[in-house]
Amino acid sequence: MKNERKDQLLVTEQDSRFIIIYGKGVDDSFISERFEEQNLDHVLFEQLQSKQYDRIIFFSPHRSIYFLDEQSRYLCRAEKVSVRNKKSENPILTEGPLGTTKLIQPTNLNDLTETKFGDVHALRLLDTSLREENNIKTAVIFVQAETVFHYFEDPRTLAGLIGEWSRLPASNPNICIFLFSIETYEGLLDLSNEIPVPELRHYISRQKSFPKNVYNLIHLGGPDPKELERLIVYLVRTNKLRVNKSDFNKLCRWMAAENIQASQWIKRGRLLDHIDLQIATDHGWFTAHKADNQSAMQKLESMIGLSGIKRRVKEITALAKQHVLDNQDLHHDILPTFHMIFTGNPGTGKTTVARLIGELFHELDLLDRGHLVEVRAADLIADHVGGTGLKTNEVVNQALDGVLFIDEAYALSENERGGYGQEAIDTLITRLEDDRNHLIVIAAGYPEKMTKFLRSNPGLRRRFPIDNVLYFPDYTPEELWTILRSILRRRKIPTTPQVETVLREIIRGLYEHRDNTFGNAGEIRNFADSLIRRRAERISQTVDQQKIPLDNQDISEEYQAYLPKEISNIEDILFEVHQLVGLEEVKKYIRRIVRKIQLERLRQERRGDDQFIIFPQHLVFCGAPGTGKTTVARLMGKIFLALNLLHKGHIIEVSRSDLVAGYVGQTALKTNEKILASLDGILFIDEAYSLNRGGPLDFGQEAIDSLVKAMEDYRDRFVVIVAGYPQEMEAFLNSNPGLKSRFAAPIVFEQFSNQELMIILTNLAHSEGYKFSDDALLCASELVKETKNFQKEHFGYARTIRTIFEEIKALMAERVINGVNVSQINIDYDMILPIDIPSFSIPIDQQIDDVNDSPITDQSLSSTITQHLQKRS
């Protein structure tokens, strides 16, 4: 069994003249075997006396030299020594009126009173006492050492002498003790940088390398169970406190596990007239237990959803109970491995369940405290070599006898941590094994990332068995509604059936549009806060506000956006597709897709089978630029929305530069960012073949791999449409084994004929209120034909037509404005004339007849366009 804290102060293995004591116990009270309250000075004094120290000298910033016994005071007297005797000279002390002469102690004992010495004279006395080897065993104690080093009158002399003391002969039995009020080793290490004594800094820093073998560095914490037993007896004697002895030992163990000062327990105890385990729990004495009269298992059962998690926790608890029954002496038996992995999205109850596991194991006496210490990777990692192990050990020490919950633990294994994360993992693995009887570690994060985390170190998988990996699913819409309703009831916010219907619809929308950052219960708490805040503003001037229920106007625009939108009729969208110029085969293909999905729906309804899920297909658009691929992609979003296969139907248009980064690790991030933005809609990748043109070492392949994975993970959440030239798209689809199988058969977008291009041009003009004269129409037709013949494969079809139309408007604007300036009358601001059509002149030898198009005559062109406009109207 561990020694009491007072017995740790002077260990027999001490390997140094210096002893450094730090921690909350330095400023604490101690209860002696005589049931008396003492401070650390008296405890040290008794311990030193038991080790046969004859002379015990204390030094503090405000009291200077002081003693706790007359013998020590008496032994500080000395006989007068001749100044001429070289042995009487001190090589360190050279300043002051006494020069190098050793201090002559006053003959009057009463002159050695507290605060009588200045710092330098007091230091002379301490130096003389520590150097003496005349069978007077001496201990010097620096109280409030951090203040001593900060305010000492002559810090250089102090540092020099302490350094000399460290080099005194080994035969010299004297010691020097430094008391620091710093609570943690990390804090002491930081403070040591300000201590002007290299030897002390060395002793303090040694613990980083030899944490278990530094006997001169003592951490003094709170009281142990044995001392707390005496503390309660002390309260019984001094305050007539009555004690229930049936759970007295357990009460003391639980109090000790809290690791707070004895002085705090004394203050708490003096407020009571009776004490037992239940009373202490009801007064909030124990971190892992609240005064709510519910067991941890009852709290777990009352949580919304999580049926699978509850079952697994019950299994783990049953194993723990069996272990308690099979092993009476838990301190000498190795516990089964209870370290766990929690995976799932944020807000799914991982932290709450971790806290309840601590309470469950505390109730079983498997964890003395059962508290939860919640950290992230940044809380364990330092930015310099050696610092990470120190920070990690400090965190583990805080969590001992409880649960250490590491959220987003996968960040420890990420390369961006500069390798320091691996140092944290290595330190954790050691502590997982060494402290398995006093600690449960729960690492949490997204499922895929936690799998990588477990693979980052061979020792992790052994410490986190596969049976201890618990998956927390997203809450269902009904569970999310239950959470919102309970929050509103707890906040005493009345509702109406009408508003509740709207709120449920919004929650369903939130759920359907969720991604891997969805906050679950956290998102619902934010929603509730928004409702309550807007309601408060609305009723601020109203009397009897508590009775006023929520109203639809309390729902912000951000959340109203999740309400079901009015969806266009699918036949109306198909008619819009039919109105497109040309693209007859594309129109047929789209109609077939729609009819196929409609047929599957009808068959489902006839069979009464709603288990079969219809997924939208990923598509390949092959064709030259300007042949309508982007336009059709947008219409596909509207079609899938109308068929209830996508919940937004929006389109995110990207190219290679939007997906591929220039250095390792960033391409996947860029690609996933665009994928998340396109969820519930269309991700349209133009010139997709450019992703695999850089060879096997190009980062484009990383984008393709991320895309393939997302197409499987989110196959019910988005549609990928890739577009480009037919030949290049074939090579792109063959670049990844899983790519081609995830797309439907390619859709070929044929090139527009000259007549179709002219229809597109007149449609553009008509959409802006312009019209062509017959002569201008013929001029424009010639311009389109000549441009197409000259540009060949670089001709942009509809895109080029739009460019031509913009040039026509510019020339028309110049003509009209000039006409207005010269006061011409009867100007038609909407009619495009032949003069507005730009001329096109190329060398004769570069002119190529378009053999694919029939010649366009004045009569045939006018007739075709007139028919098309009548059809549209």
Side-chain angles (χ1 to χ4, degrees):
M1 188 170 177
K2 189 171 72 171
N3 289 336
E4 288 190 38
R5 55 179 180 165
K6 65 182 180 63
D7 296 326
Q8 301 171 32
L9 297 173
L10 302 172
V11 291
T12 56
E13 299 92 340
Q14 179 200 329
D15 60 352
S16 165
R17 189 168 311 280
F18 298 147
I19 298 176
I20 300 166
I21 302 175
Y22 69 100
K24 64 182 64 179
V26 169
D27 300 322
D28 197 13
S29 296
F30 294 77
I31 306 300
S32 70
E33 285 78 359
R34 301 181 299 277
F35 304 105
E36 296 174 345
E37 185 178 354
Q38 298 178 320
N39 61 22
L40 183 57
D41 286 6
H42 290 86
V43 173
L44 274 173
F45 176 77
E46 291 181 357
Q47 291 288 305
L48 289 165
Q49 278 197 324
S50 69
K51 301 286 186 182
Q52 284 78 50
Y53 280 88
D54 307 298
R55 179 168 51 191
I56 303 167
I57 309 171
F58 292 87
F59 177 83
S60 74
H62 64 290
R63 298 176 64 183
S64 190
I65 299 289
Y66 66 96
F67 310 91
L68 298 184
D69 68 316
E70 290 300 319
Q71 175 177 301
S72 297
R73 187 191 300 270
Y74 178 78
L75 290 176
C76 280
R77 298 178 62 195
E79 298 297 327
K80 293 182 179 181
V81 183
S82 171
V83 174
R84 295 191 181 94
N85 189 338
K86 289 190 177 288
K87 291 184 179 180
S88 68
E89 293 187 354
N90 189 318
I92 299 299
L93 295 174
T94 58
E95 298 180 359
L98 300 179
T100 60
T101 307
K102 284 188 176 181
L103 180 67
I104 306 299
Q105 302 295 341
T107 55
N108 185 358
L109 185 63
N110 293 327
D111 286 343
L112 278 174
T113 55
E114 298 175 4
T115 70
K116 186 135 187 175
F117 290 102
D119 283 353
V120 176
H121 288 174
L123 187 59
R124 291 174 182 266
L125 172 60
L126 300 179
D127 179 61
T128 300
S129 301
L130 283 172
R131 290 176 185 275
E132 286 182 349
E133 299 181 33
N134 54 357
N135 297 323
I136 301 177
K137 198 174 178 182
T138 300
V140 170
I141 300 106
F142 282 88
V143 181
Q144 295 179 317
E146 56 264 68
T147 307
V148 170
F149 287 116
H150 189 75
Y151 290 106
F152 200 82
E153 291 177 358
D154 188 354
R156 184 175 64 180
T157 301
L158 176 67
L161 276 180
I162 292 176
E164 285 292 315
W165 298 343
S166 70
R167 292 182 287 275
L168 289 174
S171 58
N172 185 315
N174 303 328
I175 62 171
C176 182
I177 301 173
F178 299 90
L179 306 182
F180 292 91
S181 298
I182 300 293
E183 288 198 11
T184 65
Y185 174 69
E186 188 176 15
L188 181 65
L189 192 63
D190 288 341
L191 177 70
S192 68
N193 295 323
E194 302 174 11
I195 297 176
V197 185
E199 291 79 7
L200 279 184
R201 292 200 300 269
H202 168 70
Y203 287 123
I204 292 172
S205 63
R206 279 180 65 195
Q207 185 162 341
K208 289 194 298 184
S209 304
F210 309 100
K212 296 183 178 180
N213 299 313
V214 182
Y215 300 110
N216 65 307
L217 198 63
I218 299 168
H219 180 262
L220 196 61
D224 66 298
K226 197 70 177 174
E227 185 178 348
L228 285 165
E229 289 179 14
R230 297 198 299 270
L231 185 146
I232 293 175
V233 173
Y234 167 74
L235 290 172
V236 169
R237 293 184 175 184
T238 58
N239 287 72
K240 299 182 180 179
L241 181 70
R242 289 178 288 116
V243 181
N244 183 350
K245 294 183 179 181
S246 62
D247 52 14
F248 182 69
N249 291 334
K250 189 172 186 178
L251 172 65
C252 293
R253 285 203 314 275
W254 283 22
M255 289 171 63
E258 292 299 310
N259 193 33
I260 64 175
Q261 292 180 323
S263 57
Q264 291 180 261
W265 290 124
I266 293 172
K267 291 175 183 177
R268 292 181 180 184
R270 284 174 176 165
L271 299 175
L272 304 176
D273 55 11
H274 185 81
I275 186 63
D276 60 23
L277 196 62
Q278 187 58 53
I279 292 173
T281 301
D282 291 343
H283 280 78
W285 282 17
F286 307 119
T287 310
H289 290 278
K290 308 301 178 186
D292 49 16
N293 297 319
Q294 271 191 317
S295 68
M297 189 57 73
Q298 288 173 328
K299 295 175 187 175
L300 179 67
E301 287 291 353
S302 67
M303 292 183 69
I304 295 170
L306 302 178
S307 57
I309 296 297
K310 293 173 183 177
R311 184 181 66 254
R312 293 296 307 280
V313 172
K314 287 178 182 177
E315 293 172 0
I316 292 170
T317 305
L319 174 63
K321 285 181 178 178
Q322 189 62 46
H323 179 82
V324 173
L325 293 174
D326 294 344
N327 301 276
Q328 298 302 315
D329 189 1
L330 298 179
H331 294 285
H332 291 84
D333 184 76
I334 297 178
L335 290 173
T337 300
F338 289 117
H339 306 305
M340 304 175 208
I341 297 287
F342 285 1
T343 67
N345 282 341
T348 47
K350 297 187 292 294
T351 306
T352 302
V353 172
R355 184 176 290 108
L356 292 176
I357 286 174
E359 292 186 26
L360 283 167
F361 277 67
H362 184 44
E363 291 173 358
L364 292 171
D365 273 345
L366 288 172
L367 290 175
D368 286 340
R369 188 175 178 191
H371 64 301
L372 181 78
V373 173
E374 184 180 359
V375 297
R376 293 178 179 267
D379 300 310
L380 304 178
I381 297 175
D383 57 359
H384 57 280
V385 177
T388 294
L390 182 62
K391 285 188 72 173
T392 303
N393 277 318
E394 287 284 354
V395 169
V396 172
N397 290 339
Q398 294 171 24
L400 285 178
D401 298 312
V403 174
L404 175 59
F405 182 78
I406 309 174
D407 200 10
E408 299 180 3
Y410 52 81
L412 293 172
S413 57
E414 292 176 343
N415 294 331
E416 289 78 5
R417 300 289 172 175
Y420 295 134
Q422 193 60 49
E423 184 182 348
I425 292 175
D426 295 341
T427 305
L428 272 175
I429 287 175
T430 301
R431 297 300 298 270
L432 286 171
E433 193 63 34
D434 293 350
D435 298 296
R436 62 185 301 177
N437 281 17
H438 302 283
L439 178 70
I440 291 178
V441 174
I442 299 176
Y446 297 113
E448 179 188 351
K449 293 185 176 182
M450 290 308 295
T451 300
K452 292 181 180 178
F453 167 71
L454 289 175
R455 292 173 181 167
S456 67
N457 189 297
L460 284 173
R461 178 60 75 182
R462 285 193 295 114
R463 272 78 178 186
F464 294 96
I466 190 66
D467 284 346
N468 287 12
V469 178
L470 279 64
Y471 172 67
F472 286 67
D474 286 341
Y475 287 110
T476 65
E478 191 60 33
E479 290 167 346
L480 293 171
W481 162 245
T482 303
I483 293 171
L484 177 62
R485 185 175 55 189
S486 65
I487 293 173
L488 295 176
R489 288 179 177 176
R490 193 164 58 248
R491 304 278 290 273
K492 298 181 180 179
I493 306 297
T495 60
T496 65
Q498 294 78 12
V499 170
E500 288 184 3
T501 300
V502 175
L503 296 179
R504 292 176 79 121
E505 288 288 350
I506 291 173
I507 286 175
R508 184 169 295 278
L510 280 167
Y511 179 81
E512 290 175 345
H513 293 89
R514 75 194 189 283
D515 56 24
N516 61 0
T517 64
F518 180 61
N520 286 282
E523 185 66 50
I524 296 302
R525 283 194 295 271
N526 293 338
F527 184 25
D529 289 341
S530 173
L531 292 169
I532 295 168
R533 184 170 58 250
R534 288 174 67 95
R535 172 183 174 271
E537 181 183 7
R538 175 173 61 87
I539 67 175
S540 59
Q541 305 300 324
T542 308
V543 181
D544 202 6
Q545 298 179 1
Q546 290 185 342
K547 295 182 179 180
I548 300 176
L550 275 176
D551 191 86
N552 286 344
Q553 59 186 306
D554 299 326
I555 304 171
S556 68
E557 292 75 12
E558 290 78 11
Y559 287 105
Q560 287 183 8
Y562 289 100
L563 286 169
K565 297 177 178 61
E566 184 177 347
I567 299 175
S568 303
N569 184 284
I570 187 63
E571 298 303 325
D572 293 337
I573 304 173
L574 286 177
F575 180 74
E576 191 177 346
V577 172
H578 180 68
Q579 292 291 91
L580 294 173
V581 177
L583 305 177
E584 294 305 320
E585 292 302 317
V586 174
K587 295 173 186 177
K588 291 178 185 178
Y589 193 106
I590 293 172
R591 280 198 300 271
R592 290 169 188 161
I593 290 176
V594 172
R595 300 311 180 205
K596 177 185 173 184
I597 294 170
Q598 289 175 326
L599 175 60
E600 291 296 336
R601 289 269 168 78
L602 289 172
R603 294 180 67 213
Q604 274 186 335
E605 292 174 7
R606 182 175 290 273
R607 293 194 307 264
D609 179 14
D610 58 353
Q611 299 300 314
F612 180 72
I613 301 175
I614 301 173
F615 297 111
Q617 285 185 298
H618 303 294
L619 303 172
V620 179
F621 288 177
C622 295
T627 51
K629 299 187 294 298
T630 305
T631 300
V632 173
R634 291 170 183 159
L635 286 169
M636 292 307 300
K638 296 171 68 174
I639 288 171
F640 287 134
L641 176 64
L643 292 171
N644 201 28
L645 294 179
L646 294 175
H647 297 295
K648 288 184 181 178
H650 65 298
I651 182 169
I652 300 295
E653 301 176 38
V654 298
S655 60
R656 174 186 166 93
S657 62
D658 298 307
L659 304 178
V660 179
Y663 47 97
V664 176
Q666 293 303 305
T667 292
L669 294 176
K670 288 186 71 173
T671 303
N672 286 327
E673 181 181 345
K674 294 299 181 182
I675 289 170
L676 293 177
S678 67
L679 287 182
D680 302 311
I682 303 282
L683 178 62
F684 181 75
I685 308 175
D686 199 14
E687 298 181 358
Y689 49 80
S690 62
L691 293 175
N692 70 313
R693 280 189 165 178
L697 299 179
D698 182 65
F699 296 129
Q701 191 60 47
E702 185 181 351
I704 294 174
D705 296 340
S706 299
L707 189 65
V708 170
K709 185 179 184 307
M711 290 168 73
E712 183 62 30
D713 293 346
Y714 300 113
R715 60 179 180 161
D716 61 333
R717 295 290 306 278
F718 82 133
V719 170
V720 176
I721 299 178
V722 291
Y725 291 107
Q727 223 172 355
E728 287 86 346
M729 290 306 298
E730 182 67 24
F732 166 72
L733 293 174
N734 292 328
S735 66
N736 185 295
L739 195 59
K740 195 168 188 177
S741 63
R742 286 175 167 80
F743 287 97
I747 305 174
V748 178
F749 285 68
E750 298 174 351
Q751 298 175 0
F752 293 113
S753 67
N754 286 354
Q755 280 194 343
E756 290 168 342
L757 291 172
M758 286 305 300
I759 293 172
I760 293 171
L761 179 61
T762 55
N763 282 346
L764 284 172
H766 183 74
S767 67
E768 297 187 23
Y770 294 99
K771 53 184 179 291
F772 285 90
S773 69
D774 291 342
D775 292 341
L777 205 57
L778 281 175
C779 292
S781 175
E782 286 300 316
L783 174 63
V784 169
K785 180 181 177 180
E786 291 171 353
T787 305
K788 181 181 176 183
N789 288 341
F790 179 70
Q791 293 184 355
K792 300 178 184 178
E793 68 273 9
H794 300 295
F795 184 67
Y797 293 93
R799 295 179 188 174
T800 302
I801 294 302
R802 177 170 290 281
T803 302
I804 289 174
F805 180 57
E806 293 298 325
E807 292 179 5
I808 289 172
K809 287 194 297 182
L811 287 172
M812 178 185 175
E814 187 176 17
R815 171 179 64 81
V816 170
I817 298 303
N818 287 339
V820 171
N821 292 337
V822 297
S823 302
Q824 291 186 9
I825 59 174
N826 299 324
I827 295 176
D828 190 340
Y829 294 98
D830 300 324
M831 181 64 71
I832 299 173
L833 302 178
I835 193 174
D836 302 326
I837 308 301
S839 60
F840 186 87
S841 178
I842 58 173
I844 295 177
D845 60 351
Q846 292 189 28
Q847 293 185 4
I848 302 174
D849 290 333
D850 192 338
V851 297
N852 296 321
D853 289 324
S854 56
I856 300 177
T857 63
D858 181 6
Q859 185 177 2
S860 66
L861 180 61
S862 298
S863 175
T864 302
I865 292 174
T866 301
Q867 290 176 9
H868 179 75
L869 293 176
Q870 289 174 348
K871 183 180 177 182
R872 287 180 59 89
S873 61

